[in-house]
Amino acid sequence: QVQLVESGGGLVQPGGSLRLSCAASGSSFSRYAMGWYRQAPGNQRELVAFITSGGTKNYADSVRGRFTISRANAKNTVLLQMNSLKPEDTAVYYCNANTVAGTYWGQGTQVTVSS
């Protein structure tokens, strides 16, 4: 069982920045593929970014060039740096871990981009 706890969400003005953090339990974090997803009201959950155990990264087209995913294996943490935020980035953001034992989700953190 892997527990994921997100933090760092909040209200920010368009053009602003936020950094989301996800802390994971377990001793095999370095082996997990980690991702960030988001879900806006009325929409399906969508992939925002992921990072493999080897450090390969990929991004949704809508956030490429603005968001950066990174991981700190020594701290069992994955980060999502979000810059140049837009109102359409407003959503609940979820951390995701893919392990050999299964897929796990955090409880989500709200990000609201509004003036």
Side-chain angles (χ1 to χ4, degrees):
Q1 185 79 7
V2 176
Q3 294 183 332
L4 304 172
V5 180
E6 302 100 333
S7 61
L11 173 64
V12 63
Q13 292 186 343
S17 298
L18 281 175
R19 188 175 74 167
L20 304 183
S21 179
C22 173
S25 65
S27 59
S28 301
F29 177 80
S30 63
R31 301 178 186 177
Y32 305 161
M34 300 296 299
W36 285 97
Y37 288 71
R38 66 186 181 187
Q39 187 168 18
N43 290 357
Q44 291 187 332
R45 192 172 296 188
E46 63 176 1
L47 176 67
V48 175
F50 73 80
I51 183 167
T52 68
S53 58
T56 299
K57 306 175 185 180
N58 203 0
Y59 299 92
D61 288 343
S62 59
V63 307
R64 187 174 289 114
R66 300 188 296 122
F67 291 11
T68 302
I69 189 171
S70 61
R71 64 191 301 158
N73 289 337
K75 298 182 179 180
N76 278 24
T77 299
V78 62
L79 303 174
L80 185 68
Q81 178 66 43
M82 305 186 295
N83 298 329
S84 302
L85 283 160
K86 305 175 181 180
E88 51 263 43
D89 294 318
T90 295
V92 178
Y93 284 70
Y94 296 91
C95 180
N96 168 273
N98 281 290
T99 78
V100 293
T103 299
Y104 300 91
W105 294 91
Q107 82 287 350
T109 186
Q110 177 70 46
V111 172
T112 302
V113 185
S114 175
S115 55

